[in-house]
């Protein structure tokens, strides 16, 4: 049997045990894992140095090397994040519905673990710990397939975590790492119906698209964000500027940052020069439509291709629209259903925007950067779903569960 | 543009309109549809006769012809079912969560339509109406692709329903029928990401597997049922017999009927002869394991292949197990995670069964035949999900919705 199939089978057996554990037992295991990451940090850092050395040899960019790099401080943060997951409520067993039918059947709908979750991600060792502990806390076994550039770090981390699990009620086999760095191991995971209950991709657009296009196992798509902020005619300038600057520039590399600013023409005539100057001050490159360039002659021109690009960088498209309808149309055409914002003082326009925009999160007068499990108060985040099935928007622990109907009778039969 | 793409694009545009309608507007449209089915019954029945004539010519089996056949009485039932959907609560807009964050952001999570739903199904004209009206009531546009043997009936029904919609607030384009009977039109639907939000297959195992294996659009798998009833040592004979007979024989052709009866050895020694005789009386063919055949010599032998077969017929496997563990193992190995039952008077065994069996619905002392949207009190059913994502078990109207976060601030930015 292949590595993928062998490990997924072991995970499935372990999932049946994990399904029966109490919250206290799972939390105890998580605390052992957090402690082990600190106690064994020297081993992990040596392994991480192997990955970094190989990366430097291969000319990996400094930003990728930085994502790969572990330090005692970062390991400490990672362990601390595990301890925070311990503090979160366990969704498993939650009673969602309960009722009695006229024939006397008692029906309960309760949360249960999904079973075995496959996570496919990039060369980020912090995701290894984060994904593993979120899955285990919610009662799921997990099969991890991280980017090959982090393989030494991942092997070391998983060895440390599995050793910690071996001293706990959670079977070590509930945590599996696929070490085969060939693309074929990913392909095999994507088709592993019956052993994997769901696959969650975490990473860039091409990684996610490969999973979405080729998986037969159900997928939760965590996705790209081409997010817009629309400043309506009635928007207050100071608020609009603060929100737009925050949405674009507070952390441009993430999916909830803004890529295109839509501005009502009346607002633009009054304020676009000031706004453009503000963006120039903070080194954001601007691309604009014809009207935007009439008002602010020094900005470059924006094409449909620009509107369809997730820059994840200090670049911003500006489009002047004649009204809310044109803004809604643009978002419908170019948005990725992630996070969209209107800045307005007009109640009717706000309500139309919140109602009509098709996205995981719609905002009035607040930065799209808030689309995040921590900012939403979930205490954790396995990703941000941009699909409509199962979970939409930031996903906390409940998104890692399914449900089960428990029906108790006294001999009822159907007539 | 192909028929599929053209119609899905029209459906998507219509979905944006549908999303803004009130419950009253949707209900009014549904009532017009129900009335039109009765008013135009002659047209529909003539079209249906074309399908039946073609079917008879091609030697279609009488059971398939019966599923295809419409009569005034059946059309009346179908229209009545539409009127019942009108009476159901509209899930769209339901407030699922609401809270204020420490920074003053107000967050609401509300139900919204999925968008455009693709339904792929067999030659059953009743499903055309049922699927269409459930989707529309929950605010979704729908693209139907029914079996080609029902194409004349479907064309006629859809023309009647679209004409009714044209007199309502719902755009007629929210209801689309793919008329191309080539398999390629199904293949095209399965890959229509961006236009279809979800595909729900309704039909036999091969139809469902084709969708699950080939779709890149998210799928809700409505599935096969290899359901078990386990009679524990402490089970009462009369209750066990009633439940087993009902689960097997009340309607063997459906997915929630029983395929294998598991019997504790002590119970089997006392009662298996009586139970086997009871099944013989009602013409159920029995296949048994070695011990079952020691006790009841006249039954045939069962193989692993039998245990893995969804008969949908008057055939039953009987396996004698030495304890609950062996029953749980058998269900884990051969069950399809649909519906599983234990007949027992032992609390601890009941709790273990309900907790440990991995299935959409688990029963104590009641027939698995109750796994059904109407029996669960949902008032409707679009299918029974056997997957763990999004919806599990019988799916009513809420299963046809997604959610959206609405976030209202007063200028909040992220620091």
């Amino acid at each position: 049997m292949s590595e993928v199939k062998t490990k997924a089978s072991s995970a499935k057996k372990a999932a049946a045990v994990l399904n029966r554990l109490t919250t206290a037992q799972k939390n105890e295991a998580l605390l052992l894992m957090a402690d082990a990451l600190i106690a064994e940090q020297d081993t992990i850092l040596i392994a991480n140095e192997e990955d970094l050395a190989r990366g430097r040899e291969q000319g990996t960019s400094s930003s990728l090397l930085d994502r790969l790099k572990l330090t005692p401080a970062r390991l400490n943060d990672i362990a601390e994040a595990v301890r925070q997951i311990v503090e979160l409520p366990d969704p498993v067993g939650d009673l969602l519905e309960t009722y009695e039918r006229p024939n006397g059947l008692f029906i309960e709908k309760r949360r249960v673990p999904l079973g075995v979750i496959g996570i496919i991600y990039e060369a980020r060792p912090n995701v290894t710990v984060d994904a593993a502990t979120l899955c285990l806390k919610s009662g799921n076994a997990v099969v991890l397939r991280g980017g090959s550039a982090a393989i030494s770090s991942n092997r070391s981390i998983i060895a440390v975590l599995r050793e910690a699990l071996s001293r706990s009620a959670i079977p070590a086999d509930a945590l599996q790492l696929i070490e085969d760095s060939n693309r074929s191991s990913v392909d095999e995971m994507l088709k592993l119906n019956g052993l994997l209950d769901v696959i969650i991709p975490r990473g860039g657009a091409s990684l996610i698209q490969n999973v979405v296009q080729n998986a037969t196992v159900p997928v939760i798509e965590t996705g790209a964000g081409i997010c817009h902020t629309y400043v309506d005619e009635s928007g207050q300038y100071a608020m609009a500027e603060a929100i737009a600057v925050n949405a674009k520039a507070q952390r441009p590399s993430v999916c909830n940052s803004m890529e295109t600013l839509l501005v009502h023409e009346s607002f633009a005539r009054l304020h676009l020069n000031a706004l453009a100057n503000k963006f120039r001050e903070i080194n954001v490159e601007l691309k604009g439509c014809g009207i935007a360039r009439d008002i602010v002659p020094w900005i470059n021109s924006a094409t449909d291709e620009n509107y369809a690009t997730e820059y994840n960088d200090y670049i911003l498209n500006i489009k002047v629209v004649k009204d809310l309808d044109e803004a809604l149309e643009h978002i419908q055409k170019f948005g990725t259903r992630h996070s969209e914002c209107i800045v307005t003082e007009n109640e009717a326009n706000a309500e139309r925007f919140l109602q009509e925009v098709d996205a995981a999160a719609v905002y009035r007068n607040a930065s799209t950067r808030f689309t995040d499990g921590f900012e939403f108060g979930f205490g954790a985040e396995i990703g941000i779903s941009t699909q409509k099935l199962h979970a939409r928007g930031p996903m906390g622990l409940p998104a890692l569960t399914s449900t089960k109907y428990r029906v108790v009778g006294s001999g009822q039969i159907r007539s």
Side-chain angles (χ1 to χ4, degrees), chain A:
Chain A
M1 216 169 6
S2 69
E3 183 201 6
V4 168
K5 208 164 177 185
T6 305
K7 289 185 171 175
S9 302
S10 300
K12 186 170 178 171
K13 285 198 190 82
V17 178
L18 190 47
N19 175 47
R20 299 197 289 268
L21 300 185
T22 63
T23 303
Q25 287 173 309
K26 291 185 284 187
N27 284 342
E28 198 188 331
L30 261 62
L31 289 173
L32 290 169
M33 290 166 83
D35 292 345
L37 288 170
I38 303 301
E40 301 297 330
Q41 61 176 297
D42 293 347
T43 319
I44 294 171
L45 292 174
I46 289 168
N48 183 243
E49 187 45 52
E50 287 175 25
D51 287 332
L52 291 168
R54 205 171 49 245
R56 282 187 294 261
E57 232 167 68
Q58 293 169 356
T60 304
S61 75
S62 60
S63 71
L64 286 180
L65 286 175
D66 184 60
R67 286 163 55 159
L68 180 56
K69 188 179 174 66
L70 293 173
T71 63
R74 286 183 177 184
L75 270 177
N76 207 56
D77 287 350
I78 291 170
E80 196 46 48
V82 175
R83 292 194 185 97
Q84 283 171 17
I85 292 170
V86 169
E87 299 301 318
L88 294 176
D90 181 355
V92 173
D94 277 359
L95 183 63
L96 302 179
E97 287 170 35
T98 177
Y99 53 100
E100 186 181 351
R101 296 288 302 151
N103 61 6
L105 283 181
F106 288 97
I107 301 184
E108 280 184 359
K109 184 181 188 180
R110 286 189 184 271
R111 285 197 190 281
V112 296
L114 284 166
V116 184
I117 299 177
I119 311 266
I120 296 174
Y121 59 106
E122 293 169 341
R124 303 184 69 164
N126 61 317
V127 173
T128 306
V129 178
D130 184 47
T133 47
L134 286 168
C135 289
L136 294 174
K137 169 84 184 207
S138 50
N140 298 288
V142 58
V143 178
L144 300 167
R145 170 59 167 80
S148 54
I151 187 65
S152 300
S153 312
N154 285 341
R155 263 202 210 111
S156 173
I157 290 169
I158 293 295
V160 166
L161 296 181
R162 282 176 56 105
E163 194 283 324
L165 287 180
S166 73
R167 291 177 278 119
S168 83
I170 297 181
D173 276 348
L175 174 56
Q176 301 286 348
L177 175 73
I178 303 302
E179 301 188 17
D180 179 353
S181 63
N182 289 309
R183 164 78 174 265
S184 62
S185 64
V186 171
D187 296 341
E188 196 182 348
M189 279 178 74
L190 299 181
K191 310 275 186 198
L192 219 56
N193 300 62
L195 289 178
L196 297 183
D197 291 289
V198 57
I199 289 178
I200 304 176
R202 281 181 65 166
S206 71
L207 182 151
I208 291 168
Q209 278 312 305
N210 176 46
V211 170
V212 169
Q213 292 299 318
N214 296 303
T216 53
V217 174
V219 169
I220 302 178
E221 184 173 354
T222 63
I226 297 181
C227 303
H228 302 78
T229 300
Y230 166 59
V231 182
D232 196 20
E233 188 170 8
S234 66
Q236 296 179 15
Y237 179 75
M239 188 192 286
E241 180 190 287
I243 287 174
V245 166
N246 188 258
K248 176 71 259 179
Q250 194 247 350
R251 197 173 168 205
S253 63
V254 292
C255 57
N256 56 20
S257 63
M258 171 177 61
E259 306 298 358
T260 297
L261 179 69
L262 302 167
V263 187
H264 189 283
E265 187 161 359
S266 311
F267 187 98
R269 300 265 169 222
L270 290 172
H271 301 298
L272 193 55
N273 261 301
L275 201 50
N277 285 330
K278 179 72 191 174
F279 276 114
R280 184 158 58 174
E281 269 174 39
I282 58 170
N283 296 313
V284 172
E285 179 190 337
L286 299 180
K287 297 174 189 288
C289 69
I291 308 177
R293 296 178 70 213
D294 281 346
I295 300 171
V296 189
W298 55 265
I299 64 182
N300 296 320
S301 76
T303 63
D304 274 8
E305 204 188 320
N306 294 128
Y307 295 136
T309 300
E310 185 181 12
Y311 296 120
N312 284 336
D313 204 347
Y314 289 90
I315 309 173
L316 176 68
N317 305 312
I318 295 180
K319 185 176 176 187
V320 175
V321 295
K322 65 175 192 300
D323 55 17
L324 174 59
D325 286 308
E326 194 184 344
L328 292 173
E329 270 164 39
H330 182 96
I331 291 170
Q332 172 66 21
K333 186 167 176 193
F334 294 103
T336 54
R337 321 282 170 251
H338 192 297
S339 299
E340 307 291 354
C341 168
I342 184 171
V343 177
T344 187
E345 297 301 311
N346 180 308
E347 295 299 321
N349 286 358
E351 183 50 34
R352 267 197 72 196
F353 189 93
L354 296 177
Q355 168 71 16
E356 294 182 22
V357 169
D358 181 21
V362 286
Y363 291 82
R364 176 185 181 183
N365 294 347
S367 168
T368 55
R369 287 278 296 113
F370 285 109
T371 303
D372 173 281
F374 295 92
E375 294 295 332
F376 273 34
F378 303 163
E381 179 183 286
I382 189 80
I384 296 172
S385 164
T386 51
Q387 68 179 36
K388 292 184 179 176
L389 283 191
H390 186 68
R392 196 177 191 202
M395 295 186 288
L397 288 172
L400 296 178
T401 64
S402 181
T403 59
K404 178 158 86 172
Y405 286 105
R406 291 164 62 115
V407 185
V408 175
S410 48
Q412 281 83 348
I413 60 173
R414 191 161 165 191
S415 54

